[in-house]
Amino acid sequence: NRGIENLVVSDDGTYLVALVQSPMGPTSVPDFDNNRVIRAVRMNIVANPAGDADVPLLLEYVGMFMLEASPVEAYYRDTNRPRDMKYSAAYYHGPTSFVALERASSEVKLFLVDFSEATRLDDTQYFDNLELERQTGAGASPMSLGVTPAKKSLIWDSYNMALAGTDNWDGSSKQEGLAVMTEGAVVMMDDNDFGLENSGPVQARIVQLGRSANGITVCGRPAAPAPPQGIPTVDPNAMGMTLVARESLQLTKTPDASAVEVLDFYSPENILMAANSMNGSGDAYSTTSDPVTFVDTIDFEGFIVNSVSVCQMDGRVALALQDQNGGPGQIAITTTAGELVSRFPAGFLPDAVKFSHDCRFVVAACEGEGADVPGSIFVHEFNSNMSFNL
């Protein structure tokens, strides 16, 4: 199924954009099967051209551009393949942008697509053939081939609506209808393929985006403020601070290759827990001596420890685990001796994990860091043993 299934018409009726549903090319050929190229064409809508009453409208071809479907790692299920990425609906957003619905097995995403700086494929060697699909499927990036894709920014992901980061949100993945209701809400409708395969009745769902759909703002990094001037030097002793121990907490002798990024201290056992960014582990140090003494390492196969937090009531350690393959992360709970207590699924790139003061909750900021994967906030409540990704 590689046909055109998306049509965007500008609010003033002067142009349209049509997108193919899936990456093109024979899926029996590995290089084509791995490509994520979604082609789109823009046409001007000319009303009553040349005053001809018999031709009230004329479509005037403008050009072709591309965008990239999300990598399979951006989806919760690891059984998805590039060929499973579908673009099934879209609506107008601005003079050079639209909102597109991307879906794969058990998950739906909405993206803001800006094609203002996308390469016009008509001016390249890839216009009338599938060489772009073949080469990118073989591993080349579009940019390395001289092609700039349309820019995508994630607006909404059904993954974030599901309990504990599972795929059981209240809706099928085959959402193929999309319309704007208000500035912060859209309505989606699924395709039940005429009731075949016991797929049940068609259902419409109202989705609150948590942001404006008609005035979407993609936040960039703010400019760094100027450094403050005239900061006085403070004597630590004047603040009641006494140096107890000093040690370089890194497992490398390479200059400027610091390994410790996040620390937390458990005073009843004089244990310092650290996230070791050099080897991706959680490290424990004893502070009963000067210099401090390395005690043990906690490793998690396939994951990198980004952050640690220690419950001051009982010594439980929370570790934020990043998936090395780009998938959703996890939060692990251990003892200071490294014994595993529990693990919970979290969002993408979990970091800044923290216990609440009473240790009833553990929370983490899941950074996402990119248009292809969502950011979220992980929360686990220990009394009910329930987790949420918000």
Side-chain angles (χ1 to χ4, degrees), residues 26-307:
T27 55
S28 58
V29 179
D31 286 353
F32 284 109
D33 192 35
N34 290 325
N35 96 85
R36 298 186 284 123
V37 174
I38 302 294
R39 294 198 181 221
V41 296
R42 176 172 175 171
M43 297 184 179
N44 287 336
I45 303 173
V46 183
N48 194 20
D52 189 346
D54 294 330
V55 186
L57 291 175
L58 181 69
L59 292 180
E60 182 181 79
Y61 178 81
V62 177
M64 180 185 295
F65 62 92
M66 67 149 290
L67 57 142
E68 271 196 300
S70 299
V72 294
E73 294 81 9
Y75 278 76
Y76 175 78
R77 282 199 174 176
D78 58 9
T79 55
N80 283 309
R81 295 169 295 178
R83 70 165 81 171
D84 297 321
M85 302 296 141
K86 310 289 185 185
Y87 278 72
S88 294
Y91 64 83
Y92 175 82
H93 169 260
T96 58
S97 60
F98 55 88
V99 173
L101 185 155
E102 180 189 275
R103 63 182 178 86
S105 177
S106 301
E107 196 169 340
V108 182
K109 301 175 188 285
L110 294 180
F111 287 97
L112 172 64
V113 180
D114 183 346
F115 56 89
S116 59
E117 298 180 5
T119 298
R120 187 173 183 267
L121 295 180
D122 309 57
D123 302 327
T124 72
Q125 59 182 309
Y126 308 110
F127 169 61
D128 58 356
N129 55 73
L130 297 180
E131 191 63 17
L132 180 62
E133 284 79 355
R134 188 193 68 79
Q135 292 194 40
T136 56
S141 68
M143 295 289 284
S144 70
L145 302 175
V147 175
T148 301
K151 180 182 178 181
K152 288 170 48 187
S153 300
L154 184 69
I155 302 170
W156 177 86
D157 191 339
S158 65
Y159 174 91
N160 292 333
M161 297 183 66
L163 177 64
T166 64
D167 57 3
N168 60 344
W169 77 295
D170 182 25
S172 73
S173 62
K174 202 170 186 183
Q175 303 295 313
E176 298 199 1
L178 180 65
V180 180
M181 293 187 64
T182 67
E183 286 194 359
V186 297
V187 59
M188 293 183 186
M189 186 169 290
D190 55 11
D191 178 6
N192 73 344
D193 288 331
F194 306 100
L196 300 176
E197 299 181 4
N198 300 316
S199 53
V202 171
Q203 297 185 51
R205 288 173 177 80
I206 297 174
V207 175
Q208 300 293 336
L209 300 178
R211 62 192 302 180
S212 171
N214 294 323
I216 299 160
T217 299
V218 179
C219 298
R221 294 183 181 273
Q229 302 295 320
I231 300 178
T233 301
V234 179
D235 181 1
N237 293 323
M239 300 175 64
M241 299 171 63
T242 303
L243 179 65
V244 176
R246 176 184 295 164
E247 175 65 1
S248 176
L249 303 182
Q250 62 179 47
L251 301 184
T252 174
K253 298 303 181 183
T254 304
D256 300 322
S258 175
V260 172
E261 182 177 0
V262 180
L263 300 171
D264 204 359
F265 181 64
Y266 183 48
S267 56
E269 296 180 4
N270 290 311
I271 290 292
L272 187 68
M273 297 300 302
N276 187 329
S277 59
M278 181 60 63
N279 61 11
S281 66
D283 292 344
Y285 297 85
S286 171
T287 63
T288 57
S289 62
D290 184 7
V292 298
T293 305
F294 173 74
V295 177
D296 201 0
T297 290
I298 307 173
D299 289 309
F300 297 88
E301 185 176 358
F303 290 87
I304 298 170
V305 177
N306 279 343
S307 178

